[in-house]
Amino acid sequence: MTTGILIIVAFRVVTALPVLRWPLAGGLLAVGGDLADLLLRDLLGIGETVEYQLLDKLLDQVYLALFLVVALRWDGVERRVSIALYLFRLVGVILFLVTDERLVLLLFPNVFEPWFLLVALLHHRREPVRWTASRVVTALAGVTALKMLQEWALHGARLFDGISSLEFLDAVRRWLTGGG
């Protein structure tokens, strides 16, 4: 394991741990760490490899497992839905690792992540949410739609394949500044 990979592993673990103390802020930091590791990978010159894809999926499981630890402290439907969504995604990741077929990730979207963040956000309300069946369905429909759009962009349309995070950031900079 190279120094660059060890840096990324440490970065991902460190950005995931705060969720145990601060579910919403820590959850957002963990998701940010997941997104930022691509930039870190490019800055360290690691590049896109099959091994890196495997590592990324394993590191995702670190922060998702920590999300689950927090969700197990919740009660009722928040806890049950969290467990079901975590297990659903875990099955998808295992199937992806076995088949190396990105379509599997579309069929098993990571709805647990946005569900967790939504519930963590709702826990900041003065009055707890009274989860009715229709509220659960509406919340799940909303977070599923958002996550499916992201999964489609990444794994279906593969919009970001063939472009590094540094190239993407440069393209955004040029678009924002109107420069070349």
Side-chain angles (χ1 to χ4, degrees):
M1 192 172 286
T2 67
T3 303
I5 294 294
L6 289 173
I7 290 170
I8 289 173
V9 169
F11 174 77
R12 290 286 301 273
V13 171
V14 166
T15 59
L17 287 173
V19 76
L20 296 171
R21 175 74 170 94
W22 303 282
L24 179 58
L28 291 171
L29 181 63
V31 171
D34 180 29
L35 295 171
D37 77 337
L38 295 177
L39 178 60
L40 189 56
R41 180 197 71 194
D42 291 342
L43 289 171
L44 294 170
I46 294 169
E48 181 71 25
T49 64
V50 172
E51 294 80 20
Y52 188 80
Q53 282 297 318
L54 172 63
L55 177 65
D56 180 60
K57 293 301 169 229
L58 293 174
L59 289 172
D60 288 351
Q61 292 311 304
V62 171
Y63 84 83
L64 292 175
L66 292 174
F67 281 18
L68 182 63
V69 167
V70 173
L72 290 174
R73 299 179 200 153
W74 298 340
D75 295 318
V77 70
E78 293 173 348
R79 179 185 174 132
R80 289 190 306 274
V81 169
S82 294
I83 293 167
L85 292 175
Y86 174 81
L87 293 174
F88 178 75
R89 179 57 172 193
L90 183 60
V91 166
V93 168
I94 291 168
L95 288 173
F96 169 72
L97 294 175
V98 169
T99 65
D100 196 32
E101 179 57 54
R102 288 170 75 173
L103 177 62
V104 171
L105 298 173
L106 276 171
L107 298 174
F108 291 85
N110 184 6
V111 179
F112 174 55
E113 177 185 288
W115 166 261
F116 175 88
L117 294 173
L118 173 65
V119 173
L121 174 67
L122 292 174
H123 282 188
H124 285 272
R125 294 172 35 126
R126 287 183 190 260
E127 294 293 319
V129 173
R130 292 173 38 111
W131 289 104
T132 62
S134 64
R135 284 184 177 159
V136 171
V137 168
T138 300
L140 285 173
V143 295
T144 300
L146 288 173
K147 198 59 182 182
M148 286 303 295
L149 180 62
Q150 179 193 18
E151 298 283 2
W152 172 82
L154 292 174
H155 305 297
R158 299 180 181 200
L159 295 178
F160 301 102
D161 284 12
I163 183 171
S164 75
S165 59
L166 296 173
E167 293 167 329
F168 174 76
L169 290 174
D170 188 53
V172 170
R173 178 197 57 80
R174 286 192 317 269
W175 180 78
L176 289 173
T177 62

